Amino acid sequence: MQAMGQHCLFDAYGIDCQWARDAKQIEALLTRVALAADATILGSHFHTFGGEGGVTGVLLLAESHLSIHTWPENAYAAIDIFMCGHHRIEAALQLLRAELQADHTHTTVLSRGTLTNSVITLDS
């Protein structure tokens, strides 16, 4: 049975703390990531927690969603990419790795919508 979609969990450690507080820059990056994956953006919402706090945000996609939560105080970001149908998740991940320039990343890709879900994990 072919998977209904893929859910990618991308953890980035050692990211730029100033970037992790900037909702506009974060939304711009996630927009480029969605386009790299050939996704169709339907809408977005981003919230800054103010002061030294981070950002939480989501792009609603015709194919599902792309979301982020940042913790600048820990130089960490958690990014989810969930896409159904035609998608190019690897292109999205390459762009994230290149632009975030994190010290370390961890990626888990889950096949969703099958009776036997497969899991792939990658570290860099």
Side-chain angles (χ1 to χ4, degrees):
M1 177 178 186
Q2 185 174 357
M4 300 289 262
Q6 287 189 309
H7 195 161
C8 177
L9 309 175
F10 182 81
D11 294 321
Y13 304 88
I15 63 169
D16 181 308
C17 296
Q18 289 303 105
W19 178 86
R21 292 184 183 97
D22 190 328
K24 288 185 184 209
Q25 285 189 41
I26 291 170
E27 184 173 6
L29 174 59
L30 291 193
T31 297
R32 291 191 305 277
V33 168
L35 295 175
D38 289 335
T40 303
I41 300 169
L42 301 175
S44 66
H45 184 79
F46 287 79
H47 175 78
T48 302
F49 289 96
E52 299 298 309
V55 172
T56 189
V58 64
L59 291 182
L60 178 63
L61 307 175
E63 299 80 7
S64 195
H65 71 271
L66 203 151
S67 66
I68 188 167
H69 305 280
T70 67
W71 288 263
E73 67 275 18
N74 299 111
Y76 170 71
I79 300 169
D80 286 11
I81 305 169
F82 183 29
M83 295 183 68
C84 310
H86 172 73
H87 46 69
R88 295 181 49 211
I89 287 183
E90 189 53 47
L93 291 171
Q94 287 176 352
L95 181 59
L96 281 171
R97 288 183 190 108
E99 296 233 1
L100 287 177
Q101 297 181 357
D103 293 340
H104 175 76
T105 65
H106 182 82
T107 306
T108 303
V109 180
L110 305 160
S111 292
R112 304 288 305 268
T114 63
L115 293 175
T116 56
N117 291 336
S118 64
V119 178
I120 301 167
T121 59
L122 307 166
D123 287 317
S124 66

